[in-house]
Amino acid sequence: MGQTIGKPTSNPFQNSTLFSSLKRSSSSQPTCDQNTRPSIFSTLKRPPVSKPSDFIPLFNDCIYAASSRTQEYLLFKDPEDKFHPSPEVLTQSVNLNMTDTFNCTVMTPEQRILLGADWVWAVLEKPTKNPRIQIAVQVLHMQEREDTEENGITPEACSESLQMAQKESSNKSTYERLVDFCTSIGKDCYALFLFFGKKNDKGNIYGVLSNNFEAAIGKCNNIDRTFIENFFKGSRVKHFMSLLFLLNC
Amino acid sequence: MDLYGKMAATQDMKGKGEGGDQNFDYMFKLLIIGNSSVGKTSFLFRYADDAFTSAFVSTVGIDFKVKTVYKNDKRIKLQIWDTAGQERYRTITTAYYRGAMGFILMYDITNEESFGAVQDWSTQIKTYSWDNAQVVLAGNKCDMEEERVVSVDSGRLLAEQLGFEFFETSAKDNINVKQTFERLVDLICDKMSESLDTDSAVTTGAPTAKLTDSAPPLQQPGCNC
């Protein structure tokens, strides 16, 4: 499950809002300005992890490398119009594992439907290796890409078990399923909606991370793509500011 | 018709009326539960795919596989749910207990703690499932005899006390995997037969064909698996 991505020799990441907070060398401190909350990754530097700084820079660098490569494909157009990377391939591009401290579990196709997550990152507790903090990630592609291949699953590949999974989950959207999944675990499980391109910025990767999306349900809001995208506009951020981390510092 | 009969009939009608593989007569929902790392996922992979890997990947939340078996010329589709054993997933896993017709409650014969937790898992079944759910207790990893800390007799005795069937199994060496599932299916069919007998006797006073009878086929909503 997942793959290990080597530490890059340079920082190729130029433009991403989501991961801009990670643009620092392994030994430097986060560079968030005073008006923004610290990223979730910087909160991981707190005790009780014995040597928390060991893996965070490495994780950052891995993310830089993987997301940079993904970005290249977001805007790529084959001059011969023969190469069309599928959402499935792009979704699998940011999986990484660091044994003992951090792992990434790629969901099976059935789990992707049932739980709404494409993969789950976990910071592991030593020595039990039980998750201490989890981030369940759902990748959202540009609409036209989603239309081409919904959820990355072709009709041919839509097996009986996938249809069963869809039947089990038919009363909720994928966004709601992810939120439900994280809520069922608790506040140490964060939902991360990762946008591979946005309408006005097709070449970037954005993300919204929270362990309190369920509050929207209490406020009678439907959790859908529009709702999540509204976090970028800032209009609804106020309602959830206490627990919302916009990774754009 | 009691709940058992209703469940089987409902599941059956779903299978025939909607998309997917419609070639089955009944669908049974089964769950594999037990402590983390006892081998639930490996057990399911061995049964469904005849595959085994020693690499350990902790299950996140819940997952499932589908396998069709045949019994007395009836096609029974098994929807087998693989649950995460870690406590943090308990809310989501217990939500899937509802409607389950059978459980494989698994412990690891090399792990005393997992055996000690069997009673708690049994209580979970009683709390979140329904009375007629059938349970088989499975002591997995019986290929690791040198590391055994739970004797066969201890497992058998506990199963008797809890009213469960018992097998020692090995997903790695493919020991008693198929037999465990087959026994669970038999138990469910027996229970369905009993339920339909009781139901029919109460409502019509007439004798009915048993689920375990092989012929002639009983038309829906009765069953003949």
Side-chain angles (χ1 to χ4, degrees):
Chain A
M1 296 288 199
Q3 64 188 66
T4 303
I5 299 170
K7 190 174 180 178
T9 52
S10 63
N11 178 359
F13 207 88
Q14 301 296 320
N15 232 355
S16 168
T17 301
L18 170 61
F19 296 112
S20 59
S21 63
L22 307 177
K23 281 195 283 187
R24 55 191 163 86
S25 67
S26 296
S27 57
S28 65
Q29 296 300 309
T31 53
C32 297
D33 65 43
Q34 297 299 315
N35 297 322
T36 54
R37 290 184 170 273
S39 76
I40 179 60
F41 304 110
S42 64
T43 67
L44 299 182
K45 293 173 75 74
R46 296 171 187 157
V49 174
S50 55
K51 292 180 180 177
S53 58
D54 284 351
F55 76 94
I56 293 175
L58 178 60
F59 173 76
N60 291 350
D61 290 342
C62 291
I63 292 292
Y64 292 151
S67 53
S68 176
R69 176 57 57 91
T70 303
Q71 277 188 294
E72 291 172 13
Y73 285 108
L74 291 180
L75 291 175
F76 178 77
K77 287 202 188 311
D78 178 11
E80 297 183 9
D81 201 29
K82 291 178 180 172
F83 178 65
H84 303 279
S86 72
E88 175 72 9
V89 171
L90 294 179
T91 297
Q92 299 297 324
S93 65
V94 199
N95 305 323
L96 60 139
N97 275 295
M98 284 180 260
T99 312
D100 294 337
T101 51
F102 187 94
N103 76 5
C104 172
T105 305
V106 179
M107 298 294 96
T108 65
E110 289 81 8
Q111 284 179 307
R112 287 174 64 187
I113 296 169
L114 292 168
L115 308 178
D118 290 304
W119 71 83
V120 177
W121 280 324
V123 180
L124 304 177
E125 200 171 53
K126 291 178 180 176
T128 64
K129 291 192 180 178
N130 286 332
R132 188 167 66 85
I133 292 174
Q134 286 175 296
I135 301 174
V137 183
Q138 182 182 120
V139 174
L140 300 162
H141 296 276
M142 291 293 294
Q143 201 63 48
E144 53 264 38
R145 203 182 281 276
E146 301 243 15
D147 290 344
T148 307
E149 215 175 306
E150 190 170 357
N151 291 327
I153 300 166
T154 61
E156 297 77 24
C158 197
S159 69
E160 176 192 16
S161 61
L162 294 187
Q163 290 183 43
M164 278 188 185
Q166 279 161 350
K167 202 180 290 180
E168 290 277 343
S169 315
S170 57
N171 58 336
K172 297 211 168 170
S173 70
T174 54
Y175 317 101
E176 290 169 330
R177 275 176 253 150
L178 183 69
V179 171
D180 281 355
F181 171 58
C182 294
T183 305
S184 75
I185 293 174
K187 292 296 181 189
D188 55 357
C189 183
Y190 294 76
L192 171 59
F193 293 98
L194 210 52
F195 290 77
F196 280 15
K198 283 203 317 169
K199 202 172 183 179
N200 300 323
D201 190 4
K202 296 183 178 179
N204 264 330
I205 300 173
Y206 293 80
V208 181
L209 179 83
S210 173
N211 63 354
N212 198 35
F213 279 115
E214 72 273 14
I217 298 168
K219 293 177 183 296
C220 300
N221 282 313
N222 288 325
I223 298 178
D224 53 21
R225 187 176 183 125
T226 306
F227 170 80
I228 298 163
E229 285 183 333
N230 273 341
F231 281 101
F232 296 115
K233 298 173 186 169
S235 60
R236 298 191 188 213
V237 170
K238 292 169 189 170
H239 300 303
F240 307 106
M241 205 55 180
S242 62
L243 287 166
L244 173 71
F245 299 88
L246 271 176
L247 300 181
N248 61 352
C249 57
Chain B
M1 184 186 298
D2 71 355
L3 179 58
Y4 223 119
K6 278 180 185 170
M7 284 174 63
T10 304
Q11 297 280 31
D12 186 60
M13 289 165 68
K14 264 188 183 177
K16 289 184 174 176
E18 297 179 20
D21 178 6
Q22 299 174 17
N23 296 319
F24 65 90
D25 297 294
Y26 305 102
M27 185 159 75
F28 293 170
K29 177 180 177 180
L30 312 178
L31 262 77
I32 309 176
I33 62 172
N35 274 17
S36 181
S37 81
V38 299
K40 299 180 291 295
T41 303
S42 295
F43 195 76
L44 178 54
F45 267 74
R46 172 62 77 186
Y47 182 61
D49 301 336
D50 196 21
F52 179 83
T53 172
S54 55
F56 175 66
V57 178
S58 185
T59 301
V60 171
I62 194 138
D63 199 2
F64 75 93
K65 282 181 175 289
V66 177
K67 187 174 173 80
T68 303
V69 297
Y70 296 85
K71 185 173 165 61
N72 297 334
D73 296 327
K74 292 292 183 184
R75 290 152 298 190
I76 304 174
K77 195 168 291 291
L78 304 180
Q79 187 186 38
I80 310 165
W81 291 84
D82 176 27
T83 62
Q86 291 175 349
E87 177 70 32
R88 66 193 286 105
Y89 299 114
R90 202 55 49 82
T91 303
I92 194 164
T93 53
T94 52
Y96 284 85
Y97 284 34
R98 194 165 64 89
M101 302 168 83
F103 290 82
I104 293 173
L105 200 174
M106 185 170 289
Y107 67 91
D108 171 0
I109 67 154
T110 72
N111 184 327
E112 183 77 43
E113 189 180 339
S114 72
F115 183 66
V118 167
Q119 180 69 59
D120 291 338
W121 287 106
S122 172
T123 304
Q124 296 264 313
I125 294 172
K126 287 186 172 66
T127 305
Y128 296 103
S129 183
W130 58 305
D131 291 343
N132 283 333
Q134 302 300 302
V135 185
V136 174
L137 181 65
N140 196 32
K141 306 190 187 180
C142 72
D143 56 283
M144 300 171 70
E145 192 58 46
E146 290 182 358
E147 295 171 55
R148 175 191 287 275
V149 294
V150 182
S151 69
V152 182
D153 288 342
S154 299
R156 191 176 292 122
L157 180 64
L158 180 58
E160 281 176 13
Q161 289 170 348
L162 295 170
F164 302 158
E165 296 271 334
F166 175 68
F167 286 94
E168 281 210 343
T169 62
S170 168
K172 184 181 179 186
D173 287 355
N174 199 8
I175 299 170
N176 280 339
V177 176
K178 189 179 176 189
Q179 289 85 341
T180 301
F181 280 99
E182 285 178 346
R183 185 64 191 133
L184 185 55
V185 168
D186 286 346
L187 290 169
I188 293 168
C189 286
D190 289 347
K191 195 68 186 177
M192 286 172 69
S193 178
E194 280 176 27
S195 301
L196 285 177
D197 274 354
T198 307
D199 182 61
S200 181
V202 169
T203 54
T204 68
T208 60
K210 288 189 175 181
L211 287 161
T212 44
D213 292 344
S214 56
L218 190 65
Q219 296 304 307
Q220 296 302 321
C223 54
N224 187 36
C225 62

mmCIF file with all atom_site columns, all heavy atoms in Angstrom, chain B residues 206-218:
data_model
loop_
_atom_site.group_PDB
_atom_site.id
_atom_site.type_symbol
_atom_site.label_atom_id
_atom_site.label_alt_id
_atom_site.label_comp_id
_atom_site.label_asym_id
_atom_site.label_entity_id
_atom_site.label_seq_id
_atom_site.pdbx_PDB_ins_code
_atom_site.Cartn_x
_atom_site.Cartn_y
_atom_site.Cartn_z
_atom_site.occupancy
_atom_site.B_iso_or_equiv
_atom_site.pdbx_formal_charge
_atom_site.auth_seq_id
_atom_site.auth_comp_id
_atom_site.auth_asym_id
_atom_site.auth_atom_id
_atom_site.pdbx_PDB_model_num
ATOM 1  N N   . ALA B 1 206 ? -49.680 -25.067 8.843  1.00 0.00 ? 206 ALA B N   1
ATOM 2  C CA  . ALA B 1 206 ? -49.323 -26.101 7.873  1.00 0.00 ? 206 ALA B CA  1
ATOM 3  C C   . ALA B 1 206 ? -47.849 -26.432 7.957  1.00 0.00 ? 206 ALA B C   1
ATOM 4  O O   . ALA B 1 206 ? -47.033 -25.580 8.295  1.00 0.00 ? 206 ALA B O   1
ATOM 5  C CB  . ALA B 1 206 ? -49.651 -25.606 6.470  1.00 0.00 ? 206 ALA B CB  1
ATOM 6  N N   . PRO B 1 207 ? -47.475 -27.664 7.613  1.00 0.00 ? 207 PRO B N   1
ATOM 7  C CA  . PRO B 1 207 ? -46.054 -28.013 7.578  1.00 0.00 ? 207 PRO B CA  1
ATOM 8  C C   . PRO B 1 207 ? -45.363 -27.335 6.411  1.00 0.00 ? 207 PRO B C   1
ATOM 9  O O   . PRO B 1 207 ? -45.989 -27.046 5.384  1.00 0.00 ? 207 PRO B O   1
ATOM 10 C CB  . PRO B 1 207 ? -46.067 -29.534 7.394  1.00 0.00 ? 207 PRO B CB  1
ATOM 11 C CG  . PRO B 1 207 ? -47.377 -29.830 6.751  1.00 0.00 ? 207 PRO B CG  1
ATOM 12 C CD  . PRO B 1 207 ? -48.336 -28.811 7.264  1.00 0.00 ? 207 PRO B CD  1
ATOM 13 N N   . THR B 1 208 ? -44.085 -27.065 6.550  1.00 0.00 ? 208 THR B N   1
ATOM 14 C CA  . THR B 1 208 ? -43.330 -26.396 5.479  1.00 0.00 ? 208 THR B CA  1
ATOM 15 C C   . THR B 1 208 ? -42.064 -27.171 5.166  1.00 0.00 ? 208 THR B C   1
ATOM 16 O O   . THR B 1 208 ? -41.593 -27.961 5.976  1.00 0.00 ? 208 THR B O   1
ATOM 17 C CB  . THR B 1 208 ? -42.911 -24.977 5.905  1.00 0.00 ? 208 THR B CB  1
ATOM 18 O OG1 . THR B 1 208 ? -42.090 -25.094 7.053  1.00 0.00 ? 208 THR B OG1 1
ATOM 19 C CG2 . THR B 1 208 ? -44.096 -24.103 6.196  1.00 0.00 ? 208 THR B CG2 1
ATOM 20 N N   . ALA B 1 209 ? -41.534 -26.923 3.997  1.00 0.00 ? 209 ALA B N   1
ATOM 21 C CA  . ALA B 1 209 ? -40.244 -27.519 3.650  1.00 0.00 ? 209 ALA B CA  1
ATOM 22 C C   . ALA B 1 209 ? -39.150 -26.835 4.455  1.00 0.00 ? 209 ALA B C   1
ATOM 23 O O   . ALA B 1 209 ? -39.208 -25.640 4.702  1.00 0.00 ? 209 ALA B O   1
ATOM 24 C CB  . ALA B 1 209 ? -39.972 -27.329 2.163  1.00 0.00 ? 209 ALA B CB  1
ATOM 25 N N   . LYS B 1 210 ? -38.154 -27.604 4.879  1.00 0.00 ? 210 LYS B N   1
ATOM 26 C CA  . LYS B 1 210 ? -37.070 -27.013 5.671  1.00 0.00 ? 210 LYS B CA  1
ATOM 27 C C   . LYS B 1 210 ? -36.009 -26.403 4.754  1.00 0.00 ? 210 LYS B C   1
ATOM 28 O O   . LYS B 1 210 ? -35.802 -26.847 3.640  1.00 0.00 ? 210 LYS B O   1
ATOM 29 C CB  . LYS B 1 210 ? -36.432 -28.087 6.542  1.00 0.00 ? 210 LYS B CB  1
ATOM 30 C CG  . LYS B 1 210 ? -37.324 -28.524 7.685  1.00 0.00 ? 210 LYS B CG  1
ATOM 31 C CD  . LYS B 1 210 ? -36.552 -29.410 8.638  1.00 0.00 ? 210 LYS B CD  1
ATOM 32 C CE  . LYS B 1 210 ? -37.414 -29.742 9.846  1.00 0.00 ? 210 LYS B CE  1
ATOM 33 N NZ  . LYS B 1 210 ? -36.683 -30.581 10.809 1.00 0.00 ? 210 LYS B NZ  1
ATOM 34 N N   . LEU B 1 211 ? -35.320 -25.410 5.272  1.00 0.00 ? 211 LEU B N   1
ATOM 35 C CA  . LEU B 1 211 ? -34.246 -24.777 4.514  1.00 0.00 ? 211 LEU B CA  1
ATOM 36 C C   . LEU B 1 211 ? -33.159 -25.766 4.166  1.00 0.00 ? 211 LEU B C   1
ATOM 37 O O   . LEU B 1 211 ? -32.465 -25.630 3.172  1.00 0.00 ? 211 LEU B O   1
ATOM 38 C CB  . LEU B 1 211 ? -33.638 -23.637 5.341  1.00 0.00 ? 211 LEU B CB  1
ATOM 39 C CG  . LEU B 1 211 ? -34.504 -22.409 5.461  1.00 0.00 ? 211 LEU B CG  1
ATOM 40 C CD1 . LEU B 1 211 ? -34.032 -21.574 6.627  1.00 0.00 ? 211 LEU B CD1 1
ATOM 41 C CD2 . LEU B 1 211 ? -34.462 -21.615 4.192  1.00 0.00 ? 211 LEU B CD2 1
ATOM 42 N N   . THR B 1 212 ? -33.015 -26.751 5.035  1.00 0.00 ? 212 THR B N   1
ATOM 43 C CA  . THR B 1 212 ? -31.943 -27.716 4.820  1.00 0.00 ? 212 THR B CA  1
ATOM 44 C C   . THR B 1 212 ? -32.350 -28.842 3.887  1.00 0.00 ? 212 THR B C   1
ATOM 45 O O   . THR B 1 212 ? -31.532 -29.662 3.513  1.00 0.00 ? 212 THR B O   1
ATOM 46 C CB  . THR B 1 212 ? -31.500 -28.301 6.170  1.00 0.00 ? 212 THR B CB  1
ATOM 47 O OG1 . THR B 1 212 ? -32.663 -28.605 6.925  1.00 0.00 ? 212 THR B OG1 1
ATOM 48 C CG2 . THR B 1 212 ? -30.644 -27.323 6.927  1.00 0.00 ? 212 THR B CG2 1
ATOM 49 N N   . ASP B 1 213 ? -33.647 -28.892 3.522  1.00 0.00 ? 213 ASP B N   1
ATOM 50 C CA  . ASP B 1 213 ? -34.058 -29.894 2.551  1.00 0.00 ? 213 ASP B CA  1
ATOM 51 C C   . ASP B 1 213 ? -33.433 -29.565 1.207  1.00 0.00 ? 213 ASP B C   1
ATOM 52 O O   . ASP B 1 213 ? -33.278 -28.412 0.835  1.00 0.00 ? 213 ASP B O   1
ATOM 53 C CB  . ASP B 1 213 ? -35.590 -29.898 2.386  1.00 0.00 ? 213 ASP B CB  1
ATOM 54 C CG  . ASP B 1 213 ? -36.277 -30.404 3.647  1.00 0.00 ? 213 ASP B CG  1
ATOM 55 O OD1 . ASP B 1 213 ? -35.588 -31.010 4.479  1.00 0.00 ? 213 ASP B OD1 1
ATOM 56 O OD2 . ASP B 1 213 ? -37.484 -30.165 3.784  1.00 0.00 ? 213 ASP B OD2 1
ATOM 57 N N   . SER B 1 214 ? -33.114 -30.602 0.446  1.00 0.00 ? 214 SER B N   1
ATOM 58 C CA  . SER B 1 214 ? -32.461 -30.323 -0.827 1.00 0.00 ? 214 SER B CA  1
ATOM 59 C C   . SER B 1 214 ? -33.463 -30.200 -1.967 1.00 0.00 ? 214 SER B C   1
ATOM 60 O O   . SER B 1 214 ? -33.173 -29.614 -2.992 1.00 0.00 ? 214 SER B O   1
ATOM 61 C CB  . SER B 1 214 ? -31.448 -31.419 -1.146 1.00 0.00 ? 214 SER B CB  1
ATOM 62 O OG  . SER B 1 214 ? -32.100 -32.670 -1.141 1.00 0.00 ? 214 SER B OG  1
ATOM 63 N N   . ALA B 1 215 ? -34.651 -30.792 -1.829 1.00 0.00 ? 215 ALA B N   1
ATOM 64 C CA  . ALA B 1 215 ? -35.636 -30.706 -2.901 1.00 0.00 ? 215 ALA B CA  1
ATOM 65 C C   . ALA B 1 215 ? -37.024 -30.979 -2.315 1.00 0.00 ? 215 ALA B C   1
ATOM 66 O O   . ALA B 1 215 ? -37.152 -31.620 -1.289 1.00 0.00 ? 215 ALA B O   1
ATOM 67 C CB  . ALA B 1 215 ? -35.326 -31.745 -3.985 1.00 0.00 ? 215 ALA B CB  1
ATOM 68 N N   . PRO B 1 216 ? -38.102 -30.534 -2.877 1.00 0.00 ? 216 PRO B N   1
ATOM 69 C CA  . PRO B 1 216 ? -38.111 -29.657 -4.042 1.00 0.00 ? 216 PRO B CA  1
ATOM 70 C C   . PRO B 1 216 ? -37.857 -28.208 -3.630 1.00 0.00 ? 216 PRO B C   1
ATOM 71 O O   . PRO B 1 216 ? -37.993 -27.874 -2.467 1.00 0.00 ? 216 PRO B O   1
ATOM 72 C CB  . PRO B 1 216 ? -39.543 -29.828 -4.560 1.00 0.00 ? 216 PRO B CB  1
ATOM 73 C CG  . PRO B 1 216 ? -40.345 -30.077 -3.323 1.00 0.00 ? 216 PRO B CG  1
ATOM 74 C CD  . PRO B 1 216 ? -39.460 -30.874 -2.411 1.00 0.00 ? 216 PRO B CD  1
ATOM 75 N N   . PRO B 1 217 ? -37.508 -27.346 -4.605 1.00 0.00 ? 217 PRO B N   1
ATOM 76 C CA  . PRO B 1 217 ? -37.238 -25.947 -4.272 1.00 0.00 ? 217 PRO B CA  1
ATOM 77 C C   . PRO B 1 217 ? -38.475 -25.261 -3.722 1.00 0.00 ? 217 PRO B C   1
ATOM 78 O O   . PRO B 1 217 ? -39.576 -25.495 -4.213 1.00 0.00 ? 217 PRO B O   1
ATOM 79 C CB  . PRO B 1 217 ? -36.820 -25.322 -5.611 1.00 0.00 ? 217 PRO B CB  1
ATOM 80 C CG  . PRO B 1 217 ? -36.546 -26.459 -6.517 1.00 0.00 ? 217 PRO B CG  1
ATOM 81 C CD  . PRO B 1 217 ? -37.331 -27.612 -6.024 1.00 0.00 ? 217 PRO B CD  1
ATOM 82 N N   . LEU B 1 218 ? -38.267 -24.442 -2.745 1.00 0.00 ? 218 LEU B N   1
ATOM 83 C CA  . LEU B 1 218 ? -39.351 -23.673 -2.153 1.00 0.00 ? 218 LEU B CA  1
ATOM 84 C C   . LEU B 1 218 ? -39.387 -22.293 -2.800 1.00 0.00 ? 218 LEU B C   1
ATOM 85 O O   . LEU B 1 218 ? -38.362 -21.647 -2.930 1.00 0.00 ? 218 LEU B O   1
ATOM 86 C CB  . LEU B 1 218 ? -39.117 -23.537 -0.645 1.00 0.00 ? 218 LEU B CB  1
ATOM 87 C CG  . LEU B 1 218 ? -40.242 -22.974 0.205  1.00 0.00 ? 218 LEU B CG  1
ATOM 88 C CD1 . LEU B 1 218 ? -41.427 -23.938 0.176  1.00 0.00 ? 218 LEU B CD1 1
ATOM 89 C CD2 . LEU B 1 218 ? -39.752 -22.806 1.630  1.00 0.00 ? 218 LEU B CD2 1
#
